[in-house]
Amino acid sequence: MRVIITGCGRVGAQLAQLLSYEGHDVVVIDRDEESFLRLPAGFNGITMTGVAFDESTLLEAGIEFADAVAAVTNYDNTNLMVAEIASRLYDVPKVIARLYDPEKRRVFEKLGVNYVCGTTLVAERMMHKLLQGEVLIHQERYDPGVRVMEFKVPWLARRMTVGDLEVNGQARVLALQRSGRQIRWEKDMRLLVGDTVVIAARRAAWKALEDILGNLGLQA
C-alpha cells in the first residue's frame, strides 16, 4: 500500500515507522527538514520537504496513485485542507486527518472528513480507566491456545459468581484477590466490586468470555 503522511512530528514519525516496518511504501512530507530526524535510522521510506497542502508537492509525492493519506500536522486547518485535496480532487480511497481542537469536530464532520481527535481519545481512555477499568491479557507462551486475563470486578458484576465466569468448563478462575489478599473461593461465591480476578480461558471460550466482560463495561 502506498501511503502519504503529511507532518513528521511525533505522531507522524511513529506512524511512518510502523507502516514502513509493515512493508508499505511511505512518503513523509514536512516543511521542516529537521523534523525527519525523528525517523529511525532504518526508515526506508521517502521524505520530502514542502508545504503539506501544496498540490505540486502532493503530486510529486504520488498522490494520484496513493492508497491512503494521513494528515497529521500540528494544525487543524492544514490537516483539513490536505484531507479535502486528497479525497475530493484525487479520490484517494483512505483519508484520515488529525484533529487537535474538539470544538472543530463539527466542521470536519460536516465536510465528511474522517478524523482522529487525540484530545477526545485521551480523555475517553482516562475516563474508562477511572470508572470502568480494563482487562489485561497475558498470553501463555507454552500454550498459545490458552489466554490468561486479569481484571477488577466492576459495579455491574456485583451479583455474579465465580462460576458465571467459567464458560462451559472452558475457562477457569486461577486467582481471586480481595482487599489486597489472595482468598479461597468456590464456584457459587459472589464476586465483590474491586475484587481482582485472574482467569484462564481456552480458545473456544475467548469470544464468550469477552462478551461477558464487555457487557460489564470491561474492554481488552
Side-chain angles (χ1 to χ4, degrees), residues 7 11 25 27 33 46 70 83 116 143 149 161:
V11 172
D25 296 326
V27 180
E33 190 172 356
I46 298 172
V116 173
D143 186 351
M149 303 179 180
T161 66

Side-chain angles (χ1 to χ4, degrees), residues 116-159:
V116 173
C117 182
T119 303
T120 302
L121 287 175
V122 171
E124 289 177 349
R125 182 63 173 161
M126 291 184 71
M127 182 182 72
H128 173 72
K129 284 196 170 189
L130 287 169
L131 302 181
Q132 297 182 348
E134 61 181 353
V135 181
L136 301 178
I137 297 179
H138 313 283
Q139 186 68 54
E140 293 295 308
R141 293 182 180 178
Y142 61 85
D143 186 351
V146 175
R147 177 178 290 175
V148 178
M149 303 179 180
E150 177 183 339
F151 63 92
K152 284 189 177 295
V153 175
W155 183 81
L156 289 175
R158 67 195 186 283
R159 295 183 179 180

Side-chain angles (χ1 to χ4, degrees), residues 26-27 44 64 101-102 134 140 142 167 174 196 211 215:
V26 181
V27 180
N44 59 5
E64 294 174 291
D101 184 358
E134 61 181 353
E140 293 295 308
Y142 61 85
V167 183
L174 301 179
T196 297
D211 287 343
N215 289 333

Side-chain angles (χ1 to χ4, degrees), residues 65-139:
F65 313 102
D67 299 298
V69 169
V72 292
T73 74
N74 294 332
Y75 305 98
D76 288 340
N77 290 340
T78 297
N79 294 337
L80 182 59
M81 291 175 66
V82 171
E84 286 282 271
I85 292 171
S87 60
R88 297 187 185 277
L89 296 185
Y90 294 98
D91 295 319
V92 178
K94 295 181 180 179
V95 179
I96 190 163
R98 185 182 186 184
L99 175 62
Y100 272 90
D101 184 358
E103 295 296 324
K104 295 181 180 178
R105 65 193 307 169
R106 290 186 179 179
V107 176
F108 279 61
E109 290 170 355
K110 185 176 181 179
L111 293 173
V113 174
N114 193 10
Y115 66 88
V116 173
C117 182
T119 303
T120 302
L121 287 175
V122 171
E124 289 177 349
R125 182 63 173 161
M126 291 184 71
M127 182 182 72
H128 173 72
K129 284 196 170 189
L130 287 169
L131 302 181
Q132 297 182 348
E134 61 181 353
V135 181
L136 301 178
I137 297 179
H138 313 283
Q139 186 68 54

